Amino acid sequence: MAKAGHNDIAAQLRKEIIDGQHATGSVLPPVPELAARFRASESLVSIALQQLAADGLIRPERGRGTTVTWIPPRLHSPARFAQATREGGQAKGAFDAEIKAIGLVPTHEITVERAAPPAEIAELLGLAEGQDCLVRRRRLLASGIPMVLNATWIPWEIAEGTVLETPEATIVGGVKSALSELGFPQVAAHERIEVRRPTEDEVDALEINLNRTVIDIVHAGRTAEGRVVEVTAMVTPAHYLVIESDFPLT
Amino acid sequence: MAKAGHNDIAAQLRKEIIDGQHATGSVLPPVPELAARFRASESLVSIALQQLAADGLIRPERGRGTTVTWIPPRLHSPARFAQATREGGQAKGAFDAEIKAIGLVPTHEITVERAAPPAEIAELLGLAEGQDCLVRRRRLLASGIPMVLNATWIPWEIAEGTVLETPEATIVGGVKSALSELGFPQVAAHERIEVRRPTEDEVDALEINLNRTVIDIVHAGRTAEGRVVEVTAMVTPAHYLVIESDFPLT
DNA sequence: GAGTGGTCTAGACCACAGA
DNA sequence: CTGTGGTCTAGACCACTCG
């Protein structure tokens, strides 16, 4: 291997990982070994590894080594995230299927709690200060690698004492169906997609590098009367998602 | 200023820039000065500056200094990129208005040429190998800072000899209206949104850091017969864009 | 304790812009 | 020629994991 800069080292390793020479879950050679291979200092190799970590290809851990965390084909929402959440059961099923298809093991963590929504969510829901929500939080993982953070906020007065409080398992038909049966059928939705740096909480929950970018999708569903009865916020590391949609032109 | 790590230095400078202590277009203090201020080595400051450059807040240039390139409020597409391109004239106007509103000067570069589409575009347009397109490329800048790269591909057999070949100025009513008048009214569109690392060409054209992420939106408009007559690819550095959309739930 | 990655420094050297 | 940022090194030191 000829003398290389940190961009070259990163590019070469990136290529090798994507080409499958380092399987997801395997451990890269230690830094001193890579340094020898590329005839570069260990500092240089470290910088290259940080770059790959920012892309989500690897996860270096002190004392343990550098694990490959690349998820080969991108997770994509064939129709659109909206459509996926529309049918809760299927959304879970779709995630499971996509992860299984690439040979990884999908897992889910679901928590349900009562909490005050952040200002942005409260505004979308038209809630005043002090009005709580039911929050359904989900964390989706592929073979232990966190891939998606998902939080659905529903006004407490709507959700209290209903099936929505069920934490375990997926609500059959999804949150939107459940809300519909409770008398709040949704007819339209608004979505806001943003690409940004992760918050500290997201860095922890998604176990990602500080320099990774995330996609933040905020989805608000409203009834025929115009009331927003559900806001779902999804955060996922940027390179995991391709969004596709079809729509009519007027 | 207490002793700081590179993340601290980057965070502090980021805060100062966003708070307006360093105006867009101004030049940051030189590296040795910042190093003294933060009681850190120059190498450390360099790393911090690279981090900010990857976020698009600054553009360090050898010999010249480090220019602040932050665009304060985010450029956002109120309805959706699709809607903006639908009305070409207005899209240009909307960009101009948003840039002017934050005190910067919008400029445009438009080129029109005949070229072979890349494989992905050709497939969307249903073109065989060797069939050319008319390409209308636009580069939108705010006070000299490139913000958007835009390429519209139209099959040559449709565009040849029409108003679409007009390079200067915006086609009144936009490309979609022009196509409609040529007998190809569009009734629906497909969009694919992806967040990724920039290509080398994009790094040059957008004058961005290698580590910056870009948003890539590919928009395909089709007629009632199902023929795709126009594909528009838009690339913009990630933090410049917030996408919003409204749609019905069925 | 040995080996992992993470951070930082001091300094060398380079590429480039501008007076 | 001076000052700018960019890259790289060698090595010190640290935090962590695992046997």
Side-chain angles (χ1 to χ4, degrees), chain B residues 29-247:
Chain B
V31 169
E33 194 173 316
L34 290 173
R37 173 183 161 198
F38 289 106
R39 299 181 200 283
S41 67
E42 298 187 9
S43 305
L44 249 208
V45 171
S46 274
I47 293 173
L49 291 186
Q50 277 174 35
Q51 207 177 106
L52 296 183
D55 288 346
L57 297 184
I58 60 176
R59 179 163 52 207
E61 285 170 290
R62 284 180 197 185
R64 263 211 282 252
T66 302
T67 312
V68 178
T69 55
W70 188 55
I71 307 291
R74 305 247 242 261
L75 225 205
H76 71 286
S77 68
R80 191 162 175 64
F81 171 65
Q83 185 151 13
T85 49
R86 200 171 308 159
E87 312 127 19
Q90 286 84 335
K92 180 176 182 299
F95 177 81
D96 285 4
E98 290 194 46
I99 297 305
K100 281 179 189 160
I102 56 181
L104 302 177
V105 181
T107 49
H108 307 254
E109 296 169 4
I110 304 180
T111 62
V112 180
E113 58 171 327
R114 178 178 177 170
E120 189 200 11
I121 307 284
E123 190 182 338
L124 281 168
L125 288 167
L127 295 181
E129 180 94 22
Q131 290 188 272
D132 282 355
C133 279
L134 180 85
V135 203
R136 296 179 58 89
R137 294 181 198 277
R138 294 195 305 156
R139 195 165 78 126
L140 310 185
L141 305 93
S143 293
I145 303 170
M147 295 193 64
V148 179
L149 244 40
N150 203 305
T152 299
W153 301 78
I154 300 161
W156 182 251
E157 56 160 328
I158 293 179
E160 184 177 11
T162 71
V163 65
L164 292 167
E165 289 195 64
T166 313
E168 298 82 14
T170 309
I171 298 169
V172 176
V175 167
K176 278 186 165 41
S177 296
L179 278 168
S180 182
E181 283 164 20
L182 291 170
F184 301 96
Q186 298 174 33
V187 299
H190 178 81
E191 271 186 19
R192 197 185 111 284
I193 303 176
E194 186 180 353
V195 178
R196 56 172 173 78
R197 298 178 71 80
T199 64
E200 285 185 20
D201 285 348
E202 288 160 358
V203 166
D204 292 340
L206 292 170
E207 295 169 18
I208 56 176
N209 187 293
L210 252 176
N211 294 313
R212 196 104 147 75
T213 58
V214 295
I215 302 182
D216 180 355
I217 302 182
V218 177
H219 171 98
R222 65 171 191 273
T223 63
E225 296 79 40
R227 176 172 183 189
V228 174
V229 292
E230 172 219 343
V231 172
T232 296
M234 185 185 91
V235 177
T236 185
H239 299 72
Y240 286 163
L241 191 70
V242 175
I243 300 168
E244 295 198 339
S245 63
D246 275 291
F247 49 92

Side-chain angles (χ1 to χ4, degrees), chain A residues 27-73:
Chain A
V27 176
L28 284 188
V31 170
E33 195 172 317
L34 291 174
R37 174 183 158 197
F38 289 106
R39 300 180 200 286
S41 68
E42 297 187 9
S43 305
L44 249 208
V45 172
S46 274
I47 292 172
L49 292 185
Q50 277 174 33
Q51 205 176 110
L52 296 182
D55 288 346
L57 296 183
I58 60 175
R59 179 159 54 208
E61 284 169 291
R62 283 193 240 228
R64 261 210 283 251
T66 301
T67 313
V68 178
T69 55
W70 188 56
I71 308 292

Side-chain angles (χ1 to χ4, degrees), chain A residues 14 51 55 74 80 82 86 187-194 197 211 242-249, chain B residues 14 51 55 74 80 82 86 187-194 197 242-249:
Chain A
R14 178 180 295 116
Q51 205 176 110
D55 288 346
R74 305 249 240 262
R80 188 161 177 64
R86 201 173 307 160
V187 299
H190 177 83
E191 271 186 16
R192 197 184 111 289
I193 303 176
E194 187 179 354
R197 297 179 70 83
N211 294 313
V242 175
I243 300 168
E244 294 199 341
S245 62
D246 275 291
F247 49 93
L249 297 172
Chain B
R14 179 180 294 114
Q51 207 177 106
D55 288 346
R74 305 247 242 261
R80 191 162 175 64
R86 200 171 308 159
V187 299
H190 178 81
E191 271 186 19
R192 197 185 111 284
I193 303 176
E194 186 180 353
R197 298 178 71 80
V242 175
I243 300 168
E244 295 198 339
S245 63
D246 275 291
F247 49 92
L249 297 171

